[in-house]
Amino acid sequence: MTRWTVAAPTALDFDEVTELNVRLIGGTVAVLAADDQEPSSGAAARGTLTVTELSGRPLQVSHENGTLTVSYESLTWEGVLGLLKPRKDSATVAITVPAACPIQLGVLSASAVVAGLRAGAAVRAMSGDITLNGVAGDVSAETMSGEVAGCDLDGEIRFKSMSGGLTLAGGSVDSLTVNTMSGQVTADVALNNRGGGCGAGSLHVNTMSGAVTLRLPADSDAKIRLQSTSGPVRTEFETLRTVKAPASHTVSGNVGAGTGHVSVTTMSGAVTLLRGSAVNSRGDGPPYPPGYGMESTTL
Amino acid sequence: MTPVFRHGRLRLYLLRLLDEEPRHGYEVIRLLRDRFMGVYAPSPGTIYPRLARLEEEGLVTHDEDNGRKVYRITEAGREELRSRGAELNELEEELSASVSDIVREVREDVRDTVRSLREELTRAAREMRGAEREQARQARDTAREAAEAAREQARQTRENALAQARQAREQARQAKEEALRSAKRLREDAAHLRDETREQWGGGNWGNWGDWGQWTGWSGHDLGALRDLERLARDFVTDLRGVAWDSGTLLGSEVIPTLRDILADTLDRIRDEVFDIHRTPPSDGAAEHPEAPEPAEPPASPGE
């Protein structure tokens, strides 16, 4: 095991990084994927750490059996959301790891940026924002008040927040699960329908008061159920039926073949499901017109 | 992005990398790429000639390892690094800054994308609500128009019905008036006939049927028969009135003389055939009974 105590801006290289753990308090942490290693090179997966700003306590860096850890003394993953006493320790850290390296980031007020990783990422932030770009695999982001912004994510995506909002732009997901109290949820994604049946993509959003705005491609295949206890529910998909009852406003039905699942449940939030343009050209034909798939659902 | 290495800086950085430990050429390339997070990826065509130049200058040397060159810094190279220490520190700072640039770029890029998506979706949702409201408004308008049309139709129907009723009432009124008029005329005609008859019958004391019983010449007739006769006559008048009424062609002045002739003829026939009394047919009326040439006295002339 190799240890460093980093008390000043520095850059470090690591021969082999197969796992990354970072705990920060303030500042910025960015984890970027280095280009995929050339398989022919036969070299071990490498990583770099660049610390550009540092104030407060020094960072503790350790590297053991491919696991790179950047943290402060006595700051654990579990402690990230529980540390109520404000700390002034701040660092600006940029780390590159191989794209296939799974990572775990925990920050308090620091903002976290993750880009290009293919083996998933678990990110927790107290008040800091989380930015995810082109991340695939099992991705989870949890915040109290921090905002989560994601671009082009792919895989099993999970978001959880108290008041922090979530915006997801682009990408196609195997599953997207969002739980928030008051955060706004905005997502423009496609569902992966890998193999249909049990492999179908799913999208589940639960909020208390947060408004939910989703946009799915016009040629999506999903069974859809949108429900709000007191908020309005609207959709551009014409195949869905609206049922209004005293304490629930529900829009449900099938879009396309109905292989995937989309459910949105909210107490008082407004729910809007928009229809985007078709993603799959399915041959050279034009995008399928609205209401495509009614035939297959009625057969 | 600005060029990562200004003139001479890449050469300095290569020396720095080889100062850490001896490296293969491809390892140097990969380190550079990792350090710049993929943004700066020098090609072998850039790196190998530079390593060869450094070797010519005696700053590095190489060993063969399984057919690959492993480059190693020389004492002259270390001397060069030491002499350019300040420049090297500056370079390190710039390189760190360029990493920060990359991070900032990624973050801003994502934030911009996310912000524009939020705006776009918000706008789309608003447009959808607007379209929905517009649709609802149109549906409301259409329904209102339909309701108005229905109301208008109902109103027209009602008016038509009223007009028809009015017309019918008017027609009925006119018919009634006409009927009353014709009844009056009939009554007048009847009165006229009666007067005539009275005159023909000598006028005077024939008004009272009840007195008839006193006449011995009529002793064969009882009051019952007279009443039957009277009823017959009354029924005839009623029937006549009914026929005239039902015919719809109201009695005009040209009908009355015809009727009068027919009635006169009928009376003649009654006189001849029923009561066997011979009397001159009235005036020039078509004499269907040529066997009654002379005027006859009323049958029961009291003076006889």
Side-chain angles (χ1 to χ4, degrees):
Chain A
M1 181 191 220
T2 323
R3 286 180 177 281
W4 296 263
T5 298
V6 178
T10 186
L12 297 171
D13 291 325
F14 308 96
D15 281 337
E16 186 187 10
V17 179
T18 53
E19 209 181 316
L20 172 68
N21 294 307
V22 180
R23 322 261 175 269
L24 280 190
I25 292 174
T28 304
V29 55
V31 181
L32 310 175
D35 279 2
D36 286 337
Q37 309 288 330
E38 293 142 43
S40 59
S41 72
R46 299 182 56 89
T48 65
L49 167 70
T50 311
V51 180
T52 49
E53 286 168 41
L54 198 68
S55 68
R57 292 182 294 167
L59 277 173
Q60 305 295 322
V61 178
S62 72
H63 186 220
E64 182 182 23
N65 297 331
T67 301
L68 176 63
T69 304
V70 179
S71 182
Y72 290 98
E73 265 176 21
S74 75
L75 182 56
T76 61
W77 171 248
E78 290 74 22
V80 165
L81 295 183
L83 191 66
L84 296 176
K85 200 163 121 192
R87 301 290 189 105
K88 285 176 184 165
D89 304 315
S90 172
T92 301
V93 177
I95 299 163
T96 62
V97 294
C101 172
I103 67 159
Q104 202 183 54
L105 300 186
V107 298
L108 268 90
S109 62
S111 53
V113 178
V114 180
L117 300 180
R118 317 306 300 168
V123 186
R124 271 183 187 176
M126 186 83 166
S127 58
D129 293 342
I130 298 176
T131 305
L132 306 168
N133 187 25
V135 182
D138 286 358
V139 179
S140 81
E142 289 177 43
T143 75
M144 293 291 278
S145 60
E147 293 278 320
V148 180
C151 266
D152 300 323
L153 303 189
D154 187 359
E156 309 260 337
I157 320 292
R158 266 181 295 276
F159 292 112
K160 199 168 158 185
S161 84
M162 285 293 282
S163 62
L166 160 76
T167 309
L168 195 51
S172 64
V173 298
D174 293 334
S175 77
L176 171 63
T177 309
V178 182
N179 283 288
T180 177
M181 291 290 280
S182 58
Q184 288 204 358
V185 181
T186 308
D188 178 22
V189 291
L191 295 178
N192 290 336
N193 276 338
R194 286 176 185 151
C198 61
S202 69
L203 196 161
H204 298 284
V205 180
N206 278 288
T207 81
M208 284 293 282
S209 61
V212 181
T213 307
L214 302 178
R215 184 163 71 183
L216 293 175
D219 56 350
S220 295
D221 292 328
K223 194 182 191 71
I224 291 179
R225 183 180 170 81
L226 316 172
Q227 187 173 19
S228 180
T229 305
S230 62
V233 181
R234 295 187 180 86
T235 181
E236 279 186 332
F237 285 97
E238 284 143 12
T239 54
L240 304 183
R241 286 170 293 106
T242 299
V243 179
K244 277 185 187 174
S248 114
H249 189 164
T250 306
V251 169
S252 61
N254 279 1
V255 166
T259 47
H261 287 269
V262 173
S263 80
V264 177
T265 308
T266 171
M267 285 294 284
S268 59
V271 182
T272 309
L273 175 60
L274 298 166
R275 187 182 57 223
S277 50
V279 279
N280 302 318
S281 56
R282 301 197 205 190
D284 296 321
Y288 283 76
Y292 164 77
M294 287 186 77
E295 307 90 319
S296 50
T297 56
T298 50
L299 276 177
Chain B
M1 203 166 174
T2 51
V4 177
F5 291 105
R6 277 182 283 148
H7 178 70
R9 289 289 176 83
L10 177 57
R11 173 188 147 95
L12 188 62
Y13 202 72
L14 289 176
L15 283 177
R16 184 203 170 286
L17 286 176
L18 294 179
D19 184 37
E20 287 171 1
E21 60 186 67
R23 300 179 193 275
H24 294 295
Y26 69 83
E27 202 182 350
V28 170
I29 292 168
R30 203 185 55 223
L31 276 173
L32 281 167
R33 197 176 50 204
D34 288 355
R35 181 59 52 86
F36 298 106
M37 312 199 175
V39 172
Y40 176 68
S43 67
T46 308
I47 300 305
Y48 284 109
R50 279 167 198 273
L51 288 174
R53 176 90 61 82
L54 287 173
E55 195 164 13
E56 276 173 29
E57 292 173 18
L59 300 180
V60 303
T61 178
H62 79 265
D63 306 320
E64 292 284 333
D65 174 27
N66 291 334
R68 285 170 162 173
K69 287 181 178 175
V70 177
Y71 291 89
R72 184 160 49 77
I73 196 166
T74 62
E75 198 45 50
R78 287 208 176 84
E79 184 52 43
E80 167 108 5
L81 270 182
R82 270 195 294 278
S83 68
R84 295 173 66 182
E87 203 180 332
L88 187 63
N89 286 341
E90 198 183 312
L91 175 61
E92 293 275 6
E93 270 174 35
E94 277 178 18
L95 292 183
S96 298
S98 68
V99 170
S100 306
D101 284 347
I102 294 166
V103 171
R104 197 178 308 116
E105 225 169 76
V106 166
R107 198 164 64 195
E108 280 172 7
D109 192 39
V110 171
R111 284 185 182 173
D112 284 351
T113 308
V114 157
R115 190 167 43 239
S116 64
L117 173 73
R118 265 203 300 264
E119 285 166 3
E120 186 187 336
L121 292 196
T122 305
R123 199 167 47 240
R126 205 165 38 223
E127 276 166 13
M128 189 177 83
R129 278 201 300 276
E132 256 176 24
R133 267 201 297 272
E134 177 64 20
Q135 245 172 13
R137 202 178 60 74
Q138 279 176 357
R140 236 179 7 247
D141 285 355
T142 310
R144 198 159 44 215
E145 275 165 22
E148 261 168 29
R151 265 203 302 277
E152 176 64 18
Q153 215 178 3
R155 200 178 58 75
Q156 279 179 0
T157 308
R158 210 166 49 232
E159 273 184 6
N160 286 347
L162 282 174
Q164 276 175 2
R166 232 182 352 249
Q167 213 180 344
R169 263 205 310 277
E170 179 64 20
Q171 275 174 358
R173 199 179 56 76
Q174 282 177 359
K176 203 165 81 188
E177 275 179 7
E178 198 56 49
L180 284 174
R181 264 202 302 279
S182 51
K184 198 174 155 212
R185 257 201 307 273
L186 274 175
R187 266 200 309 279
E188 282 167 6
D189 288 347
H192 183 64
L193 272 176
R194 200 165 58 231
D195 291 350
E196 253 181 18
T197 312
R198 278 198 191 137
E199 274 169 28
Q200 282 174 354
W201 280 59
N205 305 316
W206 297 101
N208 198 340
W209 285 106
D211 296 340
W212 279 49
Q214 298 168 4
W215 296 99
T216 51
W218 288 83
S219 57
H221 304 288
D222 59 11
L223 277 174
L226 284 172
R227 260 196 300 276
D228 286 346
L229 178 66
E230 175 66 1
R231 191 175 298 124
L232 207 59
R234 223 169 27 231
D235 287 350
F236 176 74
V237 169
T238 309
D239 289 347
L240 173 65
R241 196 177 286 143
V243 168
W245 191 291
D246 290 345
S247 72
T249 55
L250 297 168
L251 301 175
S253 53
E254 74 277 14
V255 184
I256 299 300
T258 317
L259 263 177
R260 195 178 288 145
D261 289 349
I262 293 170
L263 287 173
D265 287 349
T266 309
L267 199 58
D268 282 347
R269 278 185 63 198
I270 291 168
R271 199 177 281 132
D272 292 346
E273 296 169 17
V274 181
F275 298 108
D276 197 23
I277 300 164
H278 295 285
R279 179 185 175 270
T280 315
S283 65
D284 54 345
E288 277 166 5
H289 309 284
E291 74 277 19
E294 348 168 356
E297 288 301 308
S301 173
E304 232 168 2

